[in-house]
Amino acid sequence: MTKNRKSAGAMERDLAPGLRPRGMVHWNLRPAALYEHAVRRDEGRLVRGGPFSTITAPHTGRSPNDKFLVREPTSEGDIWWGSVNQPMHQDCFATLRDDVIRNLSREDELFVRDVHAGADPRYRMSVRFITTNAWHAMFVYNMFIRPESDDPITEPRFTVLHVPDMRAEPGRHCTRSGTFIAINFAERIALIGGTQYAGEMKKTMFSVLNYMYPNQGILPMHCSANVGPDGDVAIFFGLSGTGKTTLSADSDRGLIGDDEHGWSNDGVFNFEGGCYAKIIRLSQEGEPEIHATTEMFGTILENVVVDPETRFTMLDDDSITENTRASYPIYFIKNHVPQGMAGHPRNVVFLTADAFGVLPPIAKLTSEQAMYHFLSGYTAKVAGTEKGITEPQATFSACFGAPFLPMHPGVYAKMLGERIARHNVQCWLVNTGWTGGPYGEGNRINLPYTRAMVSALLNGSLNKAPTRPDPIFGIHTVTEIPALPSKILDPRSTWADPDKYDVQARKLAEMFDQSFKRYADGVPEAVRGAGPIT
């Protein structure tokens, strides 16, 4: 439905306080109409099979250094202030908000999309996105939960004002650059500008839920989740590029969601209604369910190279970025769980892309080790995921999602530990990174091998599999999995020079130890002692 300009008072009530558009306002359009507007406005182009392709350069990933939380009385005592959560003064936010509203009011066209965050009806939150681009409105349609009616939500609980072409003035708005992501929990409003990268819209709301849900007794998690035929739920923690989307899209299991979930007293529920998959070098053979979406009407392709003559996508081409993406509604995956909810997890898997090539492909964790590795959140930042990252870099991201945690990581870790104990959950560490040497020398662990390991842990066949304690990391390395070569399960034996392995392993162990010191005072002694032996 397209709604023409209304009186200033009515429009202010309907959209956002102070916003009085001078032009056309398009409300809650479906994909076909948004396609037409996006093509008319030259926001991108159609490619083979029907997806809409667009380029977001120069921003082809998130800009974490440009994200701010407003320091205000109702939330400042709960926020984990520092490099992750940079404070913005209320006066600076007010100036920025007024300039954003002024910018939106001058636009010839605005696109509004009302959605929900949170699949569980008891906890879902209504959100209004107001943007200047049709394709960004289509991204919101894909990624969040679509209300049954296209009528505007009367009073959204949160509003996101999105002005990708507006540049902030650091001296005037107290930002670090022309890009800004500013969240005000008291006003329940977020401002995003200076970047076309749609992932900022998605992750802004994840940060909001990470603040609001713990107070309702819900653990927000940066994880994918699926469920087996007998109702056994598995969740996969991990940063972008570690395999959350790939490993949860299993044809033998129902997909609950690929990235963000809550764990309530009743079980797990998806925050979103879509998937945002990395698709660089995606193959039909290796990931058929996800690959099929890259040829579907309704999918948005970000920064994918397209042949200008044939309009064929070139998924192996990383000349724009390694962080090529496909956004699509979750129902594009045939075996998705329509209600987006399931019971309590039986297995929790921590995914890491180990750039040092020293962690085992799969290991069992005690509950204390699980808490240690959850707080450590070790992985490698994969090229292109964030601005300036051109090759994998070792990083420690608390709870596998530090950039999105408004509160201290200990808040989320305590909630996870309580749930693991209450529901007798088995925890695992799975390395989807390198073997036979570090990045640049070794090779990425073969996806079929990783799939076989994950399938074995999910079907219970690894519950009694033989293990050995790793002499450096202490975790219980699985030593035998049918149909897999035993050598691949022992990372040291895959290196041409085992002595070099030992040096790298001790180096990584020391990095774990240094990183964990940030949280050591707030955890039990058993958790502090569950790390590597240094």
Side-chain angles (χ1 to χ4, degrees):
M1 123 184 172
T2 298
K3 182 159 61 177
N4 290 308
R5 182 179 179 187
K6 301 174 90 173
S7 68
M11 191 58 72
E12 180 178 351
R13 281 197 308 276
D14 286 349
L15 282 177
L19 181 52
R20 299 176 173 85
R22 74 176 187 183
M24 185 74 74
V25 178
H26 305 283
W27 286 80
N28 293 332
L29 299 185
R30 296 295 181 99
L34 290 170
Y35 260 56
E36 292 175 351
H37 286 295
V39 172
R40 171 182 60 82
R41 292 164 50 88
D42 197 28
E43 295 175 3
R45 56 185 170 178
L46 302 185
V47 299
R48 182 188 64 162
F52 181 82
S53 176
T54 190
I55 304 298
T56 70
H59 291 271
T60 57
R62 292 183 296 104
S63 297
N65 292 334
D66 295 309
K67 174 187 167 186
F68 301 87
L69 302 184
V70 176
R71 188 185 288 274
E72 49 80 23
T74 68
S75 64
E76 67 175 334
D78 299 324
I79 302 301
W80 183 39
W81 298 109
S83 59
V84 170
N85 296 309
Q86 303 175 99
M88 175 178 280
H89 194 276
Q90 287 177 280
D91 292 343
C92 294
F93 180 83
T95 300
L96 180 59
R97 179 198 60 217
D98 291 347
D99 287 349
V100 167
I101 289 174
R102 189 176 301 110
N103 184 289
L104 288 169
S105 296
R106 290 197 299 258
E107 289 288 327
D108 292 332
E109 292 180 285
L110 293 179
F111 296 86
V112 182
R113 186 70 217 178
D114 290 337
V115 292
H116 295 302
D120 192 326
R122 292 165 292 185
Y123 308 115
R124 68 176 40 157
M125 185 173 70
S126 58
V127 187
R128 172 165 294 158
F129 287 85
I130 303 172
T131 180
T132 58
N133 286 342
W135 85 263
H136 282 111
M138 186 159 59
F139 176 87
V140 172
Y141 175 91
N142 283 353
M143 295 310 305
F144 292 88
I145 296 169
R146 297 155 287 277
E148 294 182 3
S149 170
D150 288 333
D151 292 335
I153 292 173
T154 305
E155 294 183 6
R157 290 188 61 200
F158 214 92
T159 299
V160 179
L161 304 182
H162 184 246
V163 282
D165 292 323
M166 174 182 162
R167 301 281 296 174
E169 301 174 30
R172 173 178 168 81
H173 299 124
C174 311
T175 59
R176 296 169 62 101
S177 71
T179 300
F180 57 91
I181 304 97
I183 303 172
N184 189 320
F185 291 117
E187 295 185 13
R188 299 204 171 190
I189 187 172
L191 312 174
I192 304 174
T195 173
Q196 296 280 340
Y197 184 65
E200 298 287 14
M201 306 171 79
K202 162 186 161 67
K203 289 305 186 185
T204 292
M205 283 311 304
F206 185 42
S207 296
V208 169
L209 297 178
N210 274 327
Y211 174 75
M212 300 182 75
Y213 272 150
N215 291 326
Q216 301 178 51
I218 298 167
L219 170 63
M221 304 177 293
H222 189 208
C223 70
S224 60
N226 62 24
V227 58
D230 66 348
D232 62 299
V233 174
I235 57 178
F236 301 81
F237 284 98
L239 293 180
S240 174
T242 56
K244 294 194 311 300
T245 298
T246 297
L247 295 172
S248 57
D250 185 331
S251 59
D252 295 327
R253 298 174 64 85
L255 177 65
I256 304 169
D258 83 324
D259 195 42
E260 302 169 5
H261 293 81
W263 190 347
S264 72
N265 290 331
D266 302 303
V268 170
F269 65 93
N270 194 358
F271 286 171
E272 302 179 304
C275 301
Y276 193 42
K278 280 199 71 172
I279 57 172
I280 189 68
R281 290 177 284 278
L282 188 73
S283 72
Q284 187 172 14
E285 296 75 20
E287 300 168 89
E289 294 87 0
I290 300 173
H291 189 277
T293 70
T294 66
E295 299 179 355
M296 292 183 180
F297 177 88
T299 292
I300 298 171
L301 302 178
E302 275 188 327
N303 303 310
V304 174
V305 177
V306 176
D307 186 297
E309 298 296 330
T310 65
R311 299 294 178 92
F312 278 41
T313 55
M314 303 167 69
L315 299 183
D316 291 341
D317 193 326
D318 62 359
S319 58
I320 299 175
T321 178
E322 280 271 341
N323 193 35
T324 56
R325 293 278 180 170
S327 162
Y328 49 89
I330 194 170
Y331 56 76
F332 280 14
I333 302 297
K334 293 181 180 178
N335 61 325
H336 76 284
V337 177
Q339 66 272 26
M341 300 185 294
H344 297 288
R346 185 180 300 173
N347 291 283
V348 168
V349 181
F350 300 129
L351 300 172
T352 179
D354 174 29
F356 287 87
V358 295
L359 287 178
I362 183 168
K364 296 178 73 171
L365 304 177
T366 66
S367 58
E368 292 81 11
Q369 289 171 338
M371 298 312 304
Y372 183 95
H373 283 273
F374 181 65
L375 279 167
S376 296
Y378 168 69
T379 188
K381 287 183 179 178
V382 180
T385 302
E386 293 181 5
K387 185 179 179 182
I389 303 297
T390 58
E391 63 181 34
Q393 295 183 3
T395 187
F396 291 85
S397 184
C399 309
F400 294 94
F404 321 117
L405 304 182
M407 295 188 282
H408 190 281
V411 173
Y412 310 97
K414 180 180 179 182
M415 295 181 75
L416 178 64
E418 291 170 348
R419 284 157 175 75
I420 288 174
R422 186 183 309 148
H423 301 289
N424 193 29
V425 180
Q426 177 61 59
C427 298
W428 309 82
L429 183 70
V430 172
N431 175 21
T432 63
W434 281 260
T435 185
Y439 171 78
E441 297 179 19
N443 300 305
R444 195 86 188 249
I445 296 173
N446 289 338
L447 179 58
Y449 285 168
T450 302
R451 286 195 184 280
M453 297 175 207
V454 171
S455 294
L457 75 86
L458 292 178
N459 66 29
S461 62
L462 294 190
N463 288 342
K464 297 183 179 180
T467 64
R468 65 168 179 80
D470 187 283
I472 294 178
F473 296 100
I475 54 182
H476 301 274
T477 302
V478 177
T479 58
E480 291 182 17
I481 298 178
L484 286 183
S486 57
K487 182 178 179 179
I488 193 68
L489 299 174
D490 177 12
R492 191 172 189 270
S493 68
T494 65
W495 283 52
D497 186 343
D499 290 338
K500 288 185 177 180
Y501 167 90
D502 294 338
V503 171
Q504 285 283 63
R506 293 191 186 98
K507 179 180 178 181
L508 180 58
E510 181 62 29
M511 293 176 67
F512 266 98
D513 184 62
Q514 291 299 316
S515 174
F516 198 79
K517 288 179 180 178
R518 295 175 291 175
Y519 320 115
D521 291 342
V523 300
E525 174 62 31
V527 175
R528 293 198 298 271
I533 302 169
T534 58

